[in-house]
Amino acid sequence: MTKEDLLNLRIDCLDKGFVRLVDYMGDDSAVVQAARVSYGNGTKSYREDRGLIRYLMRNRHTSPFEMVEFKFHCRMPIFVARQWIRHRTANVNEYSGRYSEMTDDFYLPDISQLRHQADDNKQGRSAEVLEDGKAELIMKSMADSQKASYDEYKSYLSQDLARELARINLPLSAYTEWYWKIDLHNLFHFLKLRLDKHAQFEIRIFAEAMAQIIKQVVPISYEAFEDFILHSRLFSGLEVEFLKKIVDTKKINEKALLDLGLSKREAAAMIELFTNKL
Ligand SMILES: Cc1cc2nc3c(=O)[nH]c(=O)nc-3n(C[C@H](O)[C@H](O)[C@H](O)COP(=O)(O)OP(=O)(O)OC[C@H]3O[C@@H](n4cnc5c(N)ncnc54)[C@H](O)[C@@H]3O)c2cc1C
């Protein structure tokens, strides 16, 4: 895809939201270019560039990833925006309900999402949808109260109440929108937290949309992020003690690791880790 194709690429999210790429600066080559300043070399082959990016990601040498920036236009329910805004390293400019009239767009979850409270996660929902017609009734009740609160909002406006006050009883399901600009390092941090299954389903949808867009701009960095951050696991000191007892280090040989897709350098690092450092 060319840069022109990517710009304005829009992915619909939830029932009335979206993520749209407005602009970006840099790609994998910007990461490599910045990193090579540290090591005093120019651009090398694709294989070497990929190796370098993976090395940077593995060793948490993060500043070269800050050379790439993304600017998105996003539309999401206010309760999603509240979780999203906790990520302080982005630049944000949000729609103003003081300046402009709020729209009558409210988030209504798909009925398949109206599930029981999870037993194993106090912050989440379980896999089972509410039974005996309860889900349908709640959906209708949510839609009715959204409409009632918007009608009330409009009636306040018609009495010339200031917009900044007329809006204060609107629910968290009301849609807002913003421009959101962030560098790749901090975007990876956001994605690590918000693609995780512990993140709320609704914000995960937006994280997935952004991931889908950026992997087309920075495919090598995204692959390294998936491998070394997203799909990696952290072990505590005690867990490492346990691993030491059960791992048969004789089975960790270079060929098996190369067959899995690790580079020679990565295989050597893993052998070193398991034989000497674990
Ligand atoms: C599943 C989940 C559940 C959550 N539940 C809750 C909850 O119940 N209540 C709640 O309040 N929050 C909750 N949060 C929000 C969470 O605590 C973080 O505020 C949010 O994820 C942003 O993370 P961050 O601070 O690392 O990100 P960012 O703000 O993007 O910061 C990125 C990194 O920059 C550094 N940084 C940024 N600003 C500072 C600073 N001022 N000082 C020092 N270092 C800084 C830190 O290293 C930080 O990790 C939850 C988040 C998740 C993913």
Side-chain angles (χ1 to χ4, degrees):
M1 254 194 203
T2 65
K3 182 161 182 174
E4 283 65 38
D5 294 332
L6 284 165
L7 294 182
N8 292 319
L9 188 67
R10 174 185 146 138
I11 297 183
D12 290 335
C13 299
L14 304 178
D15 54 351
K16 299 171 191 95
F18 61 79
V19 165
R20 180 171 72 85
L21 183 61
V22 176
D23 206 355
Y24 67 90
M25 182 181 80
D27 52 21
D28 285 324
S29 65
V31 177
V32 169
Q33 183 190 44
R36 294 222 190 273
V37 166
S38 317
Y39 309 123
N41 283 319
T43 303
K44 299 269 178 77
S45 68
Y46 170 86
R47 199 171 64 81
E48 283 172 289
D49 287 353
R50 180 172 176 271
L52 174 58
I53 287 179
R54 291 176 65 80
Y55 174 86
L56 298 171
M57 189 68 78
R58 182 188 181 99
N59 293 288
R60 305 293 187 264
H61 181 164
T62 52
S63 47
F65 296 101
E66 293 170 23
M67 299 299 152
V68 182
E69 294 217 336
F70 291 93
K71 182 160 63 184
F72 295 102
H73 177 194
C74 315
R75 188 161 199 269
M76 73 296 271
I78 290 174
F79 71 92
V80 171
R82 282 195 58 179
Q83 296 179 347
W84 198 326
I85 202 74
R86 297 300 305 279
H87 295 267
R88 297 158 287 178
T89 51
N91 304 110
V92 187
N93 194 61
E94 188 177 1
Y95 185 88
S96 168
R98 299 179 69 198
Y99 187 82
S100 306
E101 203 173 296
M102 298 294 285
T103 69
D104 62 350
D105 285 338
F106 296 90
Y107 170 57
L108 259 190
D110 189 87
I111 198 146
S112 62
Q113 291 301 324
L114 293 193
R115 316 219 189 127
H116 290 273
Q117 173 62 41
D119 289 329
D120 57 347
N121 174 4
K122 291 200 168 104
Q123 283 200 327
R125 66 196 77 165
S126 73
E128 286 86 42
V129 177
L130 295 182
E131 312 80 5
D132 306 328
K134 283 189 203 135
E136 286 78 2
L137 286 175
I138 289 174
M139 282 280 283
K140 182 169 177 332
S141 155
M142 281 182 171
D144 289 348
S145 72
Q146 288 172 349
K147 181 172 181 324
S149 82
Y150 195 73
D151 288 348
E152 205 169 41
Y153 170 69
K154 288 295 274 188
S155 100
Y156 296 157
L157 292 181
S158 70
Q159 297 168 69
D160 201 33
L161 179 64
R163 285 185 290 274
E164 66 179 5
L165 281 171
R167 61 156 178 189
I168 66 176
N169 274 1
L170 288 174
L172 289 177
S173 55
Y175 269 86
T176 184
E177 51 189 275
W178 61 33
Y179 269 50
W180 196 72
K181 182 167 77 67
I182 193 162
D183 67 57
L184 183 59
H185 164 58
N186 284 295
L187 181 54
F188 280 150
H189 180 68
F190 173 91
L191 292 177
K192 166 73 179 160
L193 294 174
R194 301 301 178 176
L195 287 174
D196 190 274
K197 66 178 171 33
H198 294 100
Q200 183 162 346
F201 165 78
E202 282 79 8
I203 196 167
R204 234 161 48 214
I205 296 292
F206 290 89
E208 281 164 11
M210 281 194 280
Q212 214 176 308
I213 292 172
I214 69 154
K215 70 173 71 158
Q216 300 184 58
V217 179
V218 284
I220 305 175
S221 300
Y222 194 84
E223 179 203 38
F225 160 70
E226 276 188 322
D227 200 12
F228 292 114
I229 310 282
L230 193 61
H231 300 152
S232 71
R233 296 290 177 268
L234 184 70
F235 292 107
S236 70
L238 288 174
E239 288 160 351
V240 170
E241 284 305 310
F242 178 71
L243 280 176
K244 268 188 200 170
K245 286 189 189 139
I246 60 157
V247 170
D248 180 357
T249 50
K250 285 191 279 308
K251 285 193 179 150
I252 304 174
N253 62 73
E254 189 187 56
K255 183 177 177 320
L257 295 170
L258 295 182
D259 288 349
L260 208 60
L262 275 75
S263 68
K264 270 186 169 280
R265 183 159 65 175
E266 289 164 7
M270 169 116 179
I271 291 165
E272 161 80 358
L273 180 71
F274 272 86
T275 47
N276 297 330
K277 294 206 182 132
L278 199 64

